[in-house]
Amino acid sequence: KVETVVADLEIPWGITILSDGSMLITEKKGELIHFSNGKKQVISGLPEIYVRGQGGLLDVEVDPDYQSNGWIYLSYSSDLEKNDEGGNTTIMRAKLENNSLVNQQVLYKATPNTKRGQHFGSRIEFDNSGYLYFSIGDRGNRDVNPQNVTLDGGKIYRINRDGSIPEDNPFVATENAKTAIYSYGHRNPQGMTKHPETGKIWTHEHGPQGGDEINIIEPGKNYGWPKITYGINYNGTKITDDTALPGMEQPIHYWDPSIAPSGMAFVTGNKYPAWKGNLLVGSLKFQYVNRVTLEGNKVVAEEELVKDLGRVRSITMGPDGYIYVGIEHKGVVRIVPE
């Protein structure tokens, strides 16, 4: 069954649940909410957020050592340069003090700014070594950004928690490359999670019309967009004849028609024994949680859960072992075994 935990939210883009059971929730319009003991507190002191199209206040994660260091990480779209040329995806960290964000540090700002409203990407995840991964979509410039490692957009990035670049990042020795890039050739990844056993970073990304993908991220690899895709243009014309090319990774799974995926989590713990190890993917388009059964890295079955409540934007496993789902124009719900 489904229980409403936090009601009356517009677009709960990101959710992270703290060890005390309280939640940090991002509202895309530019509000960070701390939900504790049944009450919503809007956090003050947020940076200026560029809200346009798919851009706004996006994901939220806490540091793996949050209990000792208090760092909170946010992704959002910003016009830091104040150049009136639009905005782009930004990663920052800060601390929470008296319901205000303090000690704010911008860790990464994608360039150039653009007034296009699509494909900010923006999921955040940590791996077992404490590296910070984040996604930036192609920003609607598919023929320029995703295949060029000297440009931001259409990439998965990896940085240290203070924003510095790991020495073994794949493009640190590549001339003029954005050295934070970890993989490239992506369209718009709005799901990212760590595999509970392998520690690998898994993502999903929106395809065009058809061709939404699940990918396992490997350093330096090219995931093909827009050179290869299982989708077509929205007007029905072809983007390319190729679904595979040498040197480009295949998704482990793709959806056609698109489900418009957002939010992603593996089922862990013992609350749902039959689902343990399954992958959960939200569908904006069809308004359900897709439960994906895996054998190794192969998708063998899918089931639709939490249907018809609204557009599923975010999914997370709580420290209490329950699945929490952020649903647009509803709030945050919890899936409870009957």
Side-chain angles (χ1 to χ4, degrees), residues 192-238:
M192 184 183 292
T193 191
K194 180 181 70 176
H195 192 286
E197 293 177 3
T198 67
K200 292 279 189 183
I201 298 296
W202 288 45
T203 68
H204 64 58
E205 61 187 83
H206 291 273
Q209 185 165 303
D212 299 341
E213 298 181 357
I214 298 175
N215 290 300
I216 303 172
I217 302 304
E218 299 287 352
K221 293 295 178 68
N222 180 356
Y223 289 78
W225 175 254
K227 300 292 186 185
I228 58 173
T229 181
Y230 289 92
I232 58 175
N233 286 308
Y234 292 112
N235 64 7
T237 61
K238 284 186 177 181

Side-chain angles (χ1 to χ4, degrees), residues 82-249:
K82 306 289 187 196
N83 58 15
D84 198 33
E85 293 179 3
N88 216 327
T89 305
T90 310
I91 306 295
M92 70 165 289
R93 68 176 182 176
K95 296 186 179 185
L96 196 55
E97 199 172 278
N98 298 323
N99 288 315
S100 182
L101 278 188
V102 299
N103 295 0
Q104 296 183 24
Q105 300 174 3
V106 171
L107 305 180
Y108 197 88
K109 165 67 172 64
T111 58
N113 285 341
T114 168
K115 292 183 179 178
R116 295 184 182 198
Q118 67 265 52
H119 302 179
F120 292 85
S122 236
R123 288 294 171 193
I124 305 172
E125 187 59 271
F126 290 93
D127 71 6
N128 289 335
S129 299
Y131 292 116
L132 171 64
Y133 295 75
F134 57 92
S135 63
I136 301 179
D138 67 11
R139 297 297 279 108
N141 198 352
R142 74 184 190 199
D143 295 323
V144 175
N145 292 338
Q147 290 293 317
N148 188 334
V149 297
T150 72
L151 301 174
D152 282 314
K155 316 291 194 307
I156 305 296
Y157 299 75
R158 183 180 77 154
I159 58 177
N160 294 315
R161 288 184 256 182
D162 63 357
S164 61
I165 305 298
E167 293 179 359
D168 60 345
N169 264 17
F171 299 106
V172 289
T174 303
E175 187 175 0
N176 297 324
K178 302 277 188 176
T179 53
I181 293 172
Y182 198 70
S183 66
Y184 65 109
H186 300 280
R187 187 173 181 268
N188 190 30
Q190 288 190 340
M192 184 183 292
T193 191
K194 180 181 70 176
H195 192 286
E197 293 177 3
T198 67
K200 292 279 189 183
I201 298 296
W202 288 45
T203 68
H204 64 58
E205 61 187 83
H206 291 273
Q209 185 165 303
D212 299 341
E213 298 181 357
I214 298 175
N215 290 300
I216 303 172
I217 302 304
E218 299 287 352
K221 293 295 178 68
N222 180 356
Y223 289 78
W225 175 254
K227 300 292 186 185
I228 58 173
T229 181
Y230 289 92
I232 58 175
N233 286 308
Y234 292 112
N235 64 7
T237 61
K238 284 186 177 181
I239 297 167
T240 171
D241 289 323
D242 296 311
T243 56
L245 284 172
M248 296 184 182
E249 301 301 299

